[in-house]
């Protein structure tokens, strides 16, 4: 470098500093691939995963928030177990996506204990609410998410155990989500979703993510104290959320079932089954990407990139379609299904 003008060296140093700042503050698509590196994921203590067999008493954890005796007697059809888990779901949407919001309201949202649609305008027909100080557009999604969680923190913290954040193109099997959450205490700082390993680890916003009451308490404190800065145009919001939560000791939790299949999905079912994700996806995914039926847990919780038509189709397959012979004998009499007149 000898003999080069000082202003050239200063300019070079400024460029390197700018690259470092951008790499930590802005979306990956804005950064030249030449400078982008994935930060090595720190060790996250793993739990045993989702216990699929609720009959196995040895696997049940009596210290969990749901009453221990209820867990011991719970079966996969236990309505009492699901009622014991109090879940608030909030869906981030906008006026132009009214069809998506309507499809969610008519399908999976009715199984949450309470559902809020956070939009850019008030719409009583869809129970949408527009929060003050929220700017429109994807560029301001982090700001919208911040104001949404502050609203939950100030209004609903002590009324529910768990808080699900969803996009308006997600489909959520609420019963599976509640059964999974029943194995964990909302008084601990839990943060569950589709895990990404990039940038130190966070949960993708695409598949939806859920916070326990304690995680929301810590998040609300960090946001109100400005421990987590929230400029109006930081994107992507899921990465910003992961970084904020990490500052208050909340890290992504294990979201595999006992077969090592994933519960939350940032892609739709068709993309997951074909095993043809976008090129960047396997590099970001915390767990190995599988294809075929191994892609997804039999107790899957969520899919992303779902159109309103996809949601209605999923609703029919899950809650209306019946395979003959799969029902209990008392419900399987032929005359219950076919007209002979």
């Amino acid at each position: 470098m000898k003999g080069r003008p000082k202003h050239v060296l200063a300019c070079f140093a400024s460029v390197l500093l700018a690259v470092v700042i951008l790499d930590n503050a802005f979306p990956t698509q804005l950064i030249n691939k030449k400078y982008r590196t994935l930060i090595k994921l720190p060790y996250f203590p793993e739990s045993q995963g989702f216990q699929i067999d609720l009959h196995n008493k040895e696997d049940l954890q009596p210290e969990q928030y749901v009453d221990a005796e209820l867990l011991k007697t719970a079966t996969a059809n236990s309505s009492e177990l699901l009622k014991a888990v109090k879940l608030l779901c909030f869906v981030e949407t906008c006026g132009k996506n009214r069809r998506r919001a309507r499809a969610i309201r008519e399908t999976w949202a009715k199984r949450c204990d309470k559902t809020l649609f956070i939009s850019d305008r008030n719409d009583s027909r869809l129970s949408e609410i527009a929060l003050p100080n929220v700017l429109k557009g994807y560029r301001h999604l982090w700001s919208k998410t911040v104001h949404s969680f502050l609203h939950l923190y100030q209004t609903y913290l002590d009324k529910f155990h768990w808080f699900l954040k969803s996009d308006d193109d997600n489909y959520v099997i609420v019963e599976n989500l509640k059964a999974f959450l029943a194995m964990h205490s909302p008084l601990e700082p839990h943060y569950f979703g589709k895990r990404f390993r990039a940038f130190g680890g966070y949960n993708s916003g695409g598949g939806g993510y859920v916070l326990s009451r304690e995680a929301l308490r810590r998040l609300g404190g960090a946001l109100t104290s400005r421990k987590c800065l929230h400029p109006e145009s930081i994107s992507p919001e899921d990465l910003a959320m992961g970084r904020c939560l990490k500052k208050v000791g909340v890290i992504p939790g294990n979201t595999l079932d006992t077969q090592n299949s994933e519960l939350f999905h940032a892609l739709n079912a068709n993309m997951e089954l074909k095993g043809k994700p976008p090129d960047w996806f396997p590099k970001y995914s915390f767990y190995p990407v599988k294809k075929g039926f191994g892609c997804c847990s039999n107790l899957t919780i969520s899919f992303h990139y779902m159109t309103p038509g996809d949601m209605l189709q999923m609703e029919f397959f899950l809650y209306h379609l019946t395979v003959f012979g799969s029902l209990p004998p008392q419900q399987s009499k032929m005359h219950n299904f076919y007209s002979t007149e």
Side-chain angles (χ1 to χ4, degrees), residues 46 50 180 191-195 203 253-257 261-264 287:
E46 297 290 349
F50 185 18
F180 170 68
Y191 168 43
F192 296 118
K194 163 61 184 179
R195 293 180 70 177
N203 286 325
N254 179 22
T255 48
L256 294 179
D257 66 13
S261 295
E262 293 197 57
L263 298 169
F264 293 81
Y287 304 112

mmCIF file of all heavy atoms in Angstrom, residues 46 50 180 191-195 203 253-257 261-264 287:
data_model
loop_
_atom_site.group_PDB
_atom_site.id
_atom_site.type_symbol
_atom_site.label_atom_id
_atom_site.label_comp_id
_atom_site.label_asym_id
_atom_site.label_seq_id
_atom_site.Cartn_x
_atom_site.Cartn_y
_atom_site.Cartn_z
ATOM 1 N N GLU A 46 -30.932 -28.436 22.851
ATOM 2 C CA GLU A 46 -32.082 -29.073 22.224
ATOM 3 C C GLU A 46 -32.928 -29.788 23.270
ATOM 4 O O GLU A 46 -32.413 -30.389 24.206
ATOM 5 C CB GLU A 46 -31.619 -30.094 21.178
ATOM 6 C CG GLU A 46 -30.848 -29.468 20.024
ATOM 7 C CD GLU A 46 -31.725 -28.631 19.133
ATOM 8 O OE1 GLU A 46 -32.953 -28.703 19.282
ATOM 9 O OE2 GLU A 46 -31.184 -27.902 18.292
ATOM 10 N N PHE A 50 -41.140 -32.772 19.909
ATOM 11 C CA PHE A 50 -42.571 -32.937 20.105
ATOM 12 C C PHE A 50 -42.885 -34.406 20.356
ATOM 13 O O PHE A 50 -42.586 -35.266 19.550
ATOM 14 C CB PHE A 50 -43.279 -32.437 18.857
ATOM 15 C CG PHE A 50 -44.768 -32.434 18.948
ATOM 16 C CD1 PHE A 50 -45.426 -32.490 20.168
ATOM 17 C CD2 PHE A 50 -45.531 -32.359 17.803
ATOM 18 C CE1 PHE A 50 -46.795 -32.479 20.246
ATOM 19 C CE2 PHE A 50 -46.909 -32.356 17.871
ATOM 20 C CZ PHE A 50 -47.539 -32.410 19.084
ATOM 21 N N PHE A 180 -48.612 -29.241 20.582
ATOM 22 C CA PHE A 180 -47.168 -29.015 20.718
ATOM 23 C C PHE A 180 -46.879 -28.061 21.870
ATOM 24 O O PHE A 180 -46.004 -28.305 22.702
ATOM 25 C CB PHE A 180 -46.620 -28.453 19.401
ATOM 26 C CG PHE A 180 -45.205 -27.957 19.477
ATOM 27 C CD1 PHE A 180 -44.151 -28.831 19.673
ATOM 28 C CD2 PHE A 180 -44.929 -26.604 19.336
ATOM 29 C CE1 PHE A 180 -42.836 -28.370 19.737
ATOM 30 C CE2 PHE A 180 -43.631 -26.129 19.398
ATOM 31 C CZ PHE A 180 -42.574 -27.024 19.603
ATOM 32 N N TYR A 191 -39.770 -19.539 21.875
ATOM 33 C CA TYR A 191 -39.861 -18.882 20.571
ATOM 34 C C TYR A 191 -39.765 -19.985 19.523
ATOM 35 O O TYR A 191 -38.705 -20.523 19.269
ATOM 36 C CB TYR A 191 -38.713 -17.872 20.476
ATOM 37 C CG TYR A 191 -38.377 -17.248 19.153
ATOM 38 C CD1 TYR A 191 -39.343 -16.783 18.267
ATOM 39 C CD2 TYR A 191 -37.026 -17.052 18.809
ATOM 40 C CE1 TYR A 191 -38.987 -16.175 17.077
ATOM 41 C CE2 TYR A 191 -36.661 -16.430 17.633
ATOM 42 C CZ TYR A 191 -37.637 -16.002 16.770
ATOM 43 O OH TYR A 191 -37.265 -15.386 15.581
ATOM 44 N N PHE A 192 -40.910 -20.365 18.921
ATOM 45 C CA PHE A 192 -40.971 -21.513 18.035
ATOM 46 C C PHE A 192 -41.380 -21.100 16.626
ATOM 47 O O PHE A 192 -42.221 -20.224 16.445
ATOM 48 C CB PHE A 192 -41.979 -22.544 18.549
ATOM 49 C CG PHE A 192 -41.626 -23.151 19.884
ATOM 50 C CD1 PHE A 192 -42.471 -22.984 20.983
ATOM 51 C CD2 PHE A 192 -40.459 -23.890 20.044
ATOM 52 C CE1 PHE A 192 -42.161 -23.559 22.208
ATOM 53 C CE2 PHE A 192 -40.136 -24.455 21.277
ATOM 54 C CZ PHE A 192 -40.987 -24.295 22.353
ATOM 55 N N GLY A 193 -40.820 -21.782 15.636
ATOM 56 C CA GLY A 193 -41.180 -21.542 14.246
ATOM 57 C C GLY A 193 -40.284 -22.349 13.334
ATOM 58 O O GLY A 193 -39.606 -23.288 13.758
ATOM 59 N N LYS A 194 -40.282 -22.003 12.048
ATOM 60 C CA LYS A 194 -39.376 -22.615 11.080
ATOM 61 C C LYS A 194 -37.990 -22.017 11.290
ATOM 62 O O LYS A 194 -37.768 -20.829 11.050
ATOM 63 C CB LYS A 194 -39.863 -22.349 9.656
ATOM 64 C CG LYS A 194 -38.822 -22.582 8.559
ATOM 65 C CD LYS A 194 -38.332 -24.022 8.517
ATOM 66 C CE LYS A 194 -37.220 -24.173 7.467
ATOM 67 N NZ LYS A 194 -36.696 -25.544 7.392
ATOM 68 N N ARG A 195 -37.048 -22.842 11.738
ATOM 69 C CA ARG A 195 -35.740 -22.324 12.150
ATOM 70 C C ARG A 195 -34.801 -22.106 10.970
ATOM 71 O O ARG A 195 -34.643 -22.978 10.116
ATOM 72 C CB ARG A 195 -35.091 -23.285 13.153
ATOM 73 C CG ARG A 195 -35.803 -23.362 14.472
ATOM 74 C CD ARG A 195 -35.132 -24.323 15.431
ATOM 75 N NE ARG A 195 -33.846 -23.810 15.884
ATOM 76 C CZ ARG A 195 -33.088 -24.446 16.777
ATOM 77 N NH1 ARG A 195 -33.484 -25.597 17.288
ATOM 78 N NH2 ARG A 195 -31.933 -23.918 17.144
ATOM 79 N N ASN A 203 -36.261 -17.419 13.562
ATOM 80 C CA ASN A 203 -37.375 -18.146 12.963
ATOM 81 C C ASN A 203 -37.932 -17.374 11.777
ATOM 82 O O ASN A 203 -38.163 -16.166 11.865
ATOM 83 C CB ASN A 203 -38.491 -18.372 13.989
ATOM 84 C CG ASN A 203 -38.132 -19.444 15.000
ATOM 85 O OD1 ASN A 203 -37.460 -20.420 14.672
ATOM 86 N ND2 ASN A 203 -38.577 -19.277 16.238
ATOM 87 N N GLY A 253 -36.493 -22.337 19.540
ATOM 88 C CA GLY A 253 -36.577 -23.649 20.172
ATOM 89 C C GLY A 253 -36.672 -24.765 19.153
ATOM 90 O O GLY A 253 -36.897 -24.533 17.958
ATOM 91 N N ASN A 254 -36.514 -25.981 19.632
ATOM 92 C CA ASN A 254 -36.562 -27.166 18.780
ATOM 93 C C ASN A 254 -37.970 -27.381 18.240
ATOM 94 O O ASN A 254 -38.944 -27.423 19.003
ATOM 95 C CB ASN A 254 -36.118 -28.381 19.598
ATOM 96 C CG ASN A 254 -36.161 -29.674 18.802
ATOM 97 O OD1 ASN A 254 -36.130 -29.665 17.572
ATOM 98 N ND2 ASN A 254 -36.230 -30.787 19.496
ATOM 99 N N THR A 255 -38.103 -27.530 16.917
ATOM 100 C CA THR A 255 -39.417 -27.744 16.307
ATOM 101 C C THR A 255 -39.405 -28.974 15.401
ATOM 102 O O THR A 255 -39.914 -28.952 14.284
ATOM 103 C CB THR A 255 -39.894 -26.502 15.542
ATOM 104 O OG1 THR A 255 -38.843 -26.025 14.685
ATOM 105 C CG2 THR A 255 -40.288 -25.391 16.508
ATOM 106 N N LEU A 256 -38.796 -30.045 15.894
ATOM 107 C CA LEU A 256 -38.867 -31.349 15.246
ATOM 108 C C LEU A 256 -39.785 -32.262 16.048
ATOM 109 O O LEU A 256 -39.914 -32.110 17.261
ATOM 110 C CB LEU A 256 -37.481 -32.000 15.174
ATOM 111 C CG LEU A 256 -36.416 -31.346 14.295
ATOM 112 C CD1 LEU A 256 -35.121 -32.130 14.399
ATOM 113 C CD2 LEU A 256 -36.867 -31.241 12.849
ATOM 114 N N ASP A 257 -40.406 -33.218 15.370
ATOM 115 C CA ASP A 257 -41.130 -34.241 16.107
ATOM 116 C C ASP A 257 -40.170 -35.391 16.438
ATOM 117 O O ASP A 257 -38.958 -35.294 16.178
ATOM 118 C CB ASP A 257 -42.370 -34.721 15.328
ATOM 119 C CG ASP A 257 -42.012 -35.450 14.031
ATOM 120 O OD1 ASP A 257 -40.826 -35.812 13.839
ATOM 121 O OD2 ASP A 257 -42.922 -35.666 13.211
ATOM 122 N N SER A 261 -38.885 -34.897 11.855
ATOM 123 C CA SER A 261 -39.559 -34.168 10.779
ATOM 124 C C SER A 261 -40.021 -32.819 11.311
ATOM 125 O O SER A 261 -40.373 -32.688 12.489
ATOM 126 C CB SER A 261 -40.759 -34.970 10.262
ATOM 127 O OG SER A 261 -40.327 -36.178 9.657
ATOM 128 N N GLU A 262 -40.045 -31.824 10.421
ATOM 129 C CA GLU A 262 -40.327 -30.453 10.855
ATOM 130 C C GLU A 262 -41.824 -30.196 11.031
ATOM 131 O O GLU A 262 -42.660 -30.749 10.314
ATOM 132 C CB GLU A 262 -39.742 -29.453 9.869
ATOM 133 C CG GLU A 262 -38.224 -29.463 9.839
ATOM 134 C CD GLU A 262 -37.642 -28.224 9.199
ATOM 135 O OE1 GLU A 262 -37.936 -27.104 9.671
ATOM 136 O OE2 GLU A 262 -36.894 -28.386 8.224
ATOM 137 N N LEU A 263 -42.121 -29.307 11.976
ATOM 138 C CA LEU A 263 -43.501 -28.937 12.289
ATOM 139 C C LEU A 263 -43.943 -27.670 11.578
ATOM 140 O O LEU A 263 -45.090 -27.552 11.140
ATOM 141 C CB LEU A 263 -43.653 -28.751 13.805
ATOM 142 C CG LEU A 263 -43.381 -29.981 14.665
ATOM 143 C CD1 LEU A 263 -43.300 -29.592 16.137
ATOM 144 C CD2 LEU A 263 -44.455 -31.031 14.458
ATOM 145 N N PHE A 264 -43.046 -26.687 11.459
ATOM 146 C CA PHE A 264 -43.352 -25.412 10.799
ATOM 147 C C PHE A 264 -42.692 -25.399 9.423
ATOM 148 O O PHE A 264 -41.545 -25.844 9.272
ATOM 149 C CB PHE A 264 -42.813 -24.234 11.612
ATOM 150 C CG PHE A 264 -43.492 -24.015 12.934
ATOM 151 C CD1 PHE A 264 -43.147 -24.761 14.048
ATOM 152 C CD2 PHE A 264 -44.472 -23.035 13.070
ATOM 153 C CE1 PHE A 264 -43.752 -24.547 15.277
ATOM 154 C CE2 PHE A 264 -45.091 -22.809 14.294
ATOM 155 C CZ PHE A 264 -44.732 -23.567 15.402
ATOM 156 N N TYR A 287 -32.519 -27.177 9.893
ATOM 157 C CA TYR A 287 -32.585 -28.624 9.771
ATOM 158 C C TYR A 287 -32.389 -29.039 8.316
ATOM 159 O O TYR A 287 -32.714 -28.273 7.404
ATOM 160 C CB TYR A 287 -33.938 -29.138 10.264
ATOM 161 C CG TYR A 287 -34.281 -28.734 11.680
ATOM 162 C CD1 TYR A 287 -35.321 -27.851 11.955
ATOM 163 C CD2 TYR A 287 -33.563 -29.241 12.757
ATOM 164 C CE1 TYR A 287 -35.635 -27.480 13.254
ATOM 165 C CE2 TYR A 287 -33.867 -28.890 14.064
ATOM 166 C CZ TYR A 287 -34.905 -27.999 14.303
ATOM 167 O OH TYR A 287 -35.203 -27.635 15.588
#
